[in-house]
Amino acid sequence: MLAAAATLALGACAARDEGSTSGNTTGSAAAPSQAADAANPRGDGKAVCSGVSIAYAGTINGASAALGQNILRGADLAVKQHNEANPNCQVTLKQFDTEGKPDKAPGIVTQVINEADIIGVVGLPFSGESKAAGNLFNQAGLVTISPSATNPALADNGWKTFFRGMGNDSVQGPAAAKFLTDTLKANKVCVIEDDSEYGIGLSNAVKQALGSKASCTDKVKTGQTDFSAVVNKISTENPDAIFYSGYYPEAGPFAQQLNDKGVTAKFVGPDGVKDNEFLKGAGGGATNAYFTCPCVPEDNFKDFTAAFKSVEGADPGTYSPEGYDVTTILLKGIDSGIKDRAAMLNYVKNYDGQGLTKKFKWNDKGELSDTPVWSYRVENGKIVNNGQIS
């Protein structure tokens, strides 16, 4: 069977030279500006290639699809800009939908591996599916760069093909604890985790960093809609803040039910919650919400944001710039003359260059040396930059 593919609604316009983001706030001035030497997917326009493809493998549909679509749109923009500038090197971006499910990912990854023209992969976005299928990529020698899978243990599997495009939860966990205690001044924090690899791993990192200030804990399940038992427990505990370790489909109604109960503790979610879909699900519960994320705000990436809106017909979302950056690295490899998987793996392993979001240079476990973590908040119904934590 062919991989399930999804076609996003794309505009036909070329990138504009200037523009501004929606939702610029008082925090935007602190966001990084585009580095003068940031890699550009257009290159010098002289690239020559034929018959090579890269793939996006990850969720396109499914419960948390918005996070994957953000990445896919970033990858799509990079490929479109590259191909427009390089008429003699037209790279195909193939799309494979795992729906973010660990039980589905191995079959989809096998399909990716069996397409011999694919020499690099953007993905997998989620930690659970990465754990389930990462070894298949490793056995095939097919390099993957995940813009968003943050479970630290993924780098400890000995996979030579796994690279991470942002900091892991060993970085985000302490940063979240610092944000909760130093910025929000919380002395009592309830840490709630879902049952995903991501949720459990991040929760453990946050609790360890909080120490005794993690005054209560509880668990929820993927797909859960009734949170009354947990809400009642939190109401009794009367914490200063709640950290929800999981994804937005459950975080939204959970925050709404906390609000309905009259819980006034500040609500903090990580990157898996930082999406406009959370705002829709949380309703009035989003008013007091904050987020932590090892993703960089695109506030001052004016050209990128304008091009994204023009070509993709949407605002950039969580991990869109990271998706763009890691795709650009694979495109630069192709432009250098790389034609096969082994050469691309070697190229990424030795890569050292500036992107929009950070400098990209990996250690032997596929972890970056530059791992910023930022905070965000809800303001006037939008998620906006709240400043860098670490």
Side-chain angles (χ1 to χ4, degrees), residues 150-153 167-175 201-202 205:
T150 55
N151 189 291
N168 66 34
D169 290 331
S170 292
V171 177
Q172 182 175 194
L202 178 56

Side-chain angles (χ1 to χ4, degrees), residues 11-33:
C13 303
R16 296 193 294 265
D17 291 330
E18 59 184 18
S20 61
T21 70
S22 63
N24 272 347
T25 71
T26 54
S28 65
S33 297

Side-chain angles (χ1 to χ4, degrees), residues 16-252:
R16 296 193 294 265
D17 291 330
E18 59 184 18
S20 61
T21 70
S22 63
N24 272 347
T25 71
T26 54
S28 65
S33 297
Q34 180 173 328
D37 59 345
N40 189 321
R42 299 177 182 86
D44 61 8
K46 299 177 182 179
V48 177
C49 71
S50 63
V52 292
S53 302
I54 59 178
Y56 165 81
T59 184
I60 302 173
N61 299 287
S64 300
L67 295 171
Q69 290 171 7
N70 292 340
I71 295 168
L72 176 53
R73 290 188 175 107
D76 183 75
L77 175 61
V79 171
K80 280 183 164 60
Q81 289 181 335
H82 173 272
N83 289 349
E84 182 182 30
N86 294 271
N88 294 318
C89 183
Q90 297 295 291
V91 177
T92 301
L93 175 64
K94 296 185 174 182
Q95 304 174 19
F96 297 81
D97 188 7
T98 65
E99 298 180 20
K101 297 179 178 179
D103 59 347
K104 185 174 182 179
I108 298 299
V109 166
T110 299
Q111 294 169 18
V112 175
I113 291 167
N114 287 340
E115 298 204 16
D117 60 312
I118 296 173
I119 61 174
V121 177
V122 178
L124 297 158
F126 296 157
S127 296
E129 60 181 350
S130 297
K131 179 181 179 181
N135 192 47
L136 297 175
F137 283 125
N138 188 60
Q139 291 172 353
L142 179 55
V143 66
T144 68
I145 313 177
S146 174
S148 60
T150 55
N151 189 291
L154 294 172
D156 295 328
N157 290 304
W159 301 335
K160 301 302 183 183
T161 55
F162 174 80
F163 296 83
R164 205 187 313 258
M166 70 290 130
N168 66 34
D169 290 331
S170 292
V171 177
Q172 182 175 194
K178 178 182 178 182
F179 178 72
L180 285 158
T181 57
D182 292 2
T183 303
L184 299 185
K185 307 301 181 184
N187 289 310
K188 293 177 63 179
V189 182
C190 282
V191 180
I192 312 300
E193 66 184 45
D194 73 4
D195 54 2
S196 68
E197 286 288 325
Y198 164 69
I200 295 168
L202 178 56
S203 171
N204 288 337
V206 171
K207 288 184 290 188
Q208 182 177 359
L210 283 173
S212 62
K213 292 185 178 181
S215 59
C216 73
T217 62
D218 213 331
K219 302 176 184 293
V220 301
K221 295 182 178 180
T222 302
Q224 186 170 334
T225 57
D226 181 359
F227 300 94
S228 56
V230 184
V231 168
N232 288 335
K233 178 178 179 178
I234 291 173
S235 179
T236 301
E237 293 283 346
N238 193 29
D240 302 311
I242 300 156
F243 186 84
Y244 181 83
S245 188
Y247 294 101
Y248 67 77
E250 293 76 33

